[in-house]
PDB file of all heavy atoms in Angstrom:
ATOM      1  N   ALA A 211       2.379   4.927 -14.643  1.00 79.00           N
ATOM      2  CA  ALA A 211       3.099   6.024 -13.911  1.00 79.00           C
ATOM      3  C   ALA A 211       3.437   5.562 -12.490  1.00 79.00           C
ATOM      4  O   ALA A 211       2.634   4.876 -11.853  1.00 79.00           O
ATOM      5  CB  ALA A 211       2.251   7.273 -13.868  1.00 79.00           C
ATOM      6  N   SER A 212       4.662   5.966 -12.049  1.00 79.00           N
ATOM      7  CA  SER A 212       5.048   5.549 -10.701  1.00 79.00           C
ATOM      8  C   SER A 212       4.202   6.293  -9.659  1.00 79.00           C
ATOM      9  O   SER A 212       3.728   7.374  -9.919  1.00 79.00           O
ATOM     10  CB  SER A 212       6.543   5.788 -10.519  1.00 79.00           C
ATOM     11  OG  SER A 212       6.910   7.026 -11.056  1.00 79.00           O
ATOM     12  N   GLY A 213       4.067   5.701  -8.502  1.00 86.00           N
ATOM     13  CA  GLY A 213       3.290   6.322  -7.400  1.00 86.00           C
ATOM     14  C   GLY A 213       4.147   7.291  -6.625  1.00 86.00           C
ATOM     15  O   GLY A 213       5.102   7.831  -7.139  1.00 86.00           O
ATOM     16  N   ARG A 214       3.842   7.444  -5.373  1.00 88.00           N
ATOM     17  CA  ARG A 214       4.584   8.405  -4.545  1.00 88.00           C
ATOM     18  C   ARG A 214       6.010   7.956  -4.415  1.00 88.00           C
ATOM     19  O   ARG A 214       6.299   6.814  -4.125  1.00 88.00           O
ATOM     20  CB  ARG A 214       3.939   8.476  -3.183  1.00 88.00           C
ATOM     21  CG  ARG A 214       4.720   9.301  -2.172  1.00 88.00           C
ATOM     22  CD  ARG A 214       3.945   9.608  -0.936  1.00 88.00           C
ATOM     23  NE  ARG A 214       2.767  10.372  -1.263  1.00 88.00           N
ATOM     24  CZ  ARG A 214       2.779  11.682  -1.564  1.00 88.00           C
ATOM     25  NH1 ARG A 214       3.912  12.325  -1.513  1.00 88.00           N
ATOM     26  NH2 ARG A 214       1.696  12.299  -1.898  1.00 88.00           N
ATOM     27  N   LEU A 215       6.910   8.908  -4.614  1.00 93.00           N
ATOM     28  CA  LEU A 215       8.310   8.650  -4.561  1.00 93.00           C
ATOM     29  C   LEU A 215       8.983   9.369  -3.403  1.00 93.00           C
ATOM     30  O   LEU A 215       9.961   8.860  -2.822  1.00 93.00           O
ATOM     31  CB  LEU A 215       8.911   9.153  -5.904  1.00 93.00           C
ATOM     32  CG  LEU A 215      10.314   8.710  -6.313  1.00 93.00           C
ATOM     33  CD1 LEU A 215      10.358   7.201  -6.480  1.00 93.00           C
ATOM     34  CD2 LEU A 215      10.631   9.395  -7.661  1.00 93.00           C
ATOM     35  N   MET A 216       8.470  10.506  -3.101  1.00 97.00           N
ATOM     36  CA  MET A 216       9.168  11.398  -2.140  1.00 97.00           C
ATOM     37  C   MET A 216       8.627  11.209  -0.739  1.00 97.00           C
ATOM     38  O   MET A 216       7.478  11.378  -0.450  1.00 97.00           O
ATOM     39  CB  MET A 216       8.966  12.867  -2.544  1.00 97.00           C
ATOM     40  CG  MET A 216       9.704  13.158  -3.849  1.00 97.00           C
ATOM     41  SD  MET A 216      11.475  12.778  -3.759  1.00 97.00           S
ATOM     42  CE  MET A 216      11.798  12.444  -5.493  1.00 97.00           C
ATOM     43  N   PRO A 217       9.597  10.867   0.204  1.00 96.00           N
ATOM     44  CA  PRO A 217       9.219  10.689   1.575  1.00 96.00           C
ATOM     45  C   PRO A 217       9.029  12.020   2.276  1.00 96.00           C
ATOM     46  O   PRO A 217       9.265  13.083   1.706  1.00 96.00           O
ATOM     47  CB  PRO A 217      10.431   9.981   2.170  1.00 96.00           C
ATOM     48  CG  PRO A 217      11.595  10.502   1.370  1.00 96.00           C
ATOM     49  CD  PRO A 217      11.024  10.761  -0.003  1.00 96.00           C
ATOM     50  N   ARG A 218       8.540  12.015   3.491  1.00 97.00           N
ATOM     51  CA  ARG A 218       8.413  13.213   4.296  1.00 97.00           C
ATOM     52  C   ARG A 218       9.064  12.972   5.661  1.00 97.00           C
ATOM     53  O   ARG A 218       9.001  11.837   6.148  1.00 97.00           O
ATOM     54  CB  ARG A 218       6.907  13.576   4.504  1.00 97.00           C
ATOM     55  CG  ARG A 218       6.211  13.982   3.241  1.00 97.00           C
ATOM     56  CD  ARG A 218       6.795  15.261   2.612  1.00 97.00           C
ATOM     57  NE  ARG A 218       5.869  15.827   1.594  1.00 97.00           N
ATOM     58  CZ  ARG A 218       5.889  15.498   0.302  1.00 97.00           C
ATOM     59  NH1 ARG A 218       6.753  14.668  -0.156  1.00 97.00           N
ATOM     60  NH2 ARG A 218       5.081  16.100  -0.512  1.00 97.00           N
ATOM     61  N   ALA A 219       9.579  14.024   6.206  1.00 97.00           N
ATOM     62  CA  ALA A 219      10.107  13.948   7.586  1.00 97.00           C
ATOM     63  C   ALA A 219       8.915  13.701   8.530  1.00 97.00           C
ATOM     64  O   ALA A 219       7.806  14.097   8.242  1.00 97.00           O
ATOM     65  CB  ALA A 219      10.793  15.240   7.928  1.00 97.00           C
ATOM     66  N   ASP A 220       9.216  13.017   9.654  1.00 96.00           N
ATOM     67  CA  ASP A 220       8.176  12.789  10.660  1.00 96.00           C
ATOM     68  C   ASP A 220       7.722  14.075  11.293  1.00 96.00           C
ATOM     69  O   ASP A 220       8.459  15.052  11.316  1.00 96.00           O
ATOM     70  CB  ASP A 220       8.681  11.831  11.716  1.00 96.00           C
ATOM     71  CG  ASP A 220       8.724  10.395  11.218  1.00 96.00           C
ATOM     72  OD1 ASP A 220       7.945  10.085  10.322  1.00 96.00           O
ATOM     73  OD2 ASP A 220       9.567   9.641  11.725  1.00 96.00           O
ATOM     74  N   VAL A 221       6.553  14.050  11.908  1.00 96.00           N
ATOM     75  CA  VAL A 221       5.964  15.266  12.572  1.00 96.00           C
ATOM     76  C   VAL A 221       6.987  15.790  13.614  1.00 96.00           C
ATOM     77  O   VAL A 221       7.150  17.018  13.709  1.00 96.00           O
ATOM     78  CB  VAL A 221       4.630  14.894  13.214  1.00 96.00           C
ATOM     79  CG1 VAL A 221       4.118  16.077  14.102  1.00 96.00           C
ATOM     80  CG2 VAL A 221       3.614  14.593  12.163  1.00 96.00           C
ATOM     81  N   GLU A 222       7.627  14.871  14.330  1.00 96.00           N
ATOM     82  CA  GLU A 222       8.578  15.342  15.374  1.00 96.00           C
ATOM     83  C   GLU A 222       9.711  16.216  14.830  1.00 96.00           C
ATOM     84  O   GLU A 222      10.273  17.002  15.547  1.00 96.00           O
ATOM     85  CB  GLU A 222       9.240  14.117  16.112  1.00 96.00           C
ATOM     86  CG  GLU A 222       8.282  13.198  16.832  1.00 96.00           C
ATOM     87  CD  GLU A 222       7.426  12.332  15.886  1.00 96.00           C
ATOM     88  OE1 GLU A 222       8.026  11.717  14.975  1.00 96.00           O
ATOM     89  OE2 GLU A 222       6.194  12.327  16.006  1.00 96.00           O
ATOM     90  N   ALA A 223       9.982  16.046  13.542  1.00 96.00           N
ATOM     91  CA  ALA A 223      11.095  16.807  12.932  1.00 96.00           C
ATOM     92  C   ALA A 223      10.732  18.269  12.708  1.00 96.00           C
ATOM     93  O   ALA A 223      11.580  19.105  12.519  1.00 96.00           O
ATOM     94  CB  ALA A 223      11.522  16.153  11.631  1.00 96.00           C
ATOM     95  N   PHE A 224       9.436  18.549  12.649  1.00 98.00           N
ATOM     96  CA  PHE A 224       9.050  19.958  12.336  1.00 98.00           C
ATOM     97  C   PHE A 224       8.012  20.585  13.254  1.00 98.00           C
ATOM     98  O   PHE A 224       7.694  21.786  13.110  1.00 98.00           O
ATOM     99  CB  PHE A 224       8.551  20.064  10.877  1.00 98.00           C
ATOM    100  CG  PHE A 224       7.253  19.299  10.575  1.00 98.00           C
ATOM    101  CD1 PHE A 224       6.026  19.873  10.842  1.00 98.00           C
ATOM    102  CD2 PHE A 224       7.284  18.028  10.054  1.00 98.00           C
ATOM    103  CE1 PHE A 224       4.838  19.218  10.567  1.00 98.00           C
ATOM    104  CE2 PHE A 224       6.117  17.335   9.781  1.00 98.00           C
ATOM    105  CZ  PHE A 224       4.885  17.956  10.054  1.00 98.00           C
ATOM    106  N   ALA A 225       7.523  19.813  14.237  1.00 97.00           N
ATOM    107  CA  ALA A 225       6.495  20.395  15.120  1.00 97.00           C
ATOM    108  C   ALA A 225       6.967  20.347  16.580  1.00 97.00           C
ATOM    109  O   ALA A 225       7.546  19.364  16.998  1.00 97.00           O
ATOM    110  CB  ALA A 225       5.191  19.603  14.988  1.00 97.00           C
ATOM    111  N   SER A 226       6.786  21.455  17.250  1.00 97.00           N
ATOM    112  CA  SER A 226       7.132  21.516  18.688  1.00 97.00           C
ATOM    113  C   SER A 226       5.828  21.674  19.460  1.00 97.00           C
ATOM    114  O   SER A 226       5.155  22.700  19.265  1.00 97.00           O
ATOM    115  CB  SER A 226       8.034  22.705  18.955  1.00 97.00           C
ATOM    116  OG  SER A 226       9.096  22.749  18.035  1.00 97.00           O
TER     117      SER A 226
END
Side-chain angles (χ1 to χ4, degrees):
S212 40
R214 172 169 299 284
L215 194 60
M216 293 302 153
R218 294 296 194 271
D220 283 334
V221 170
E222 297 73 50
F224 65 85
S226 311

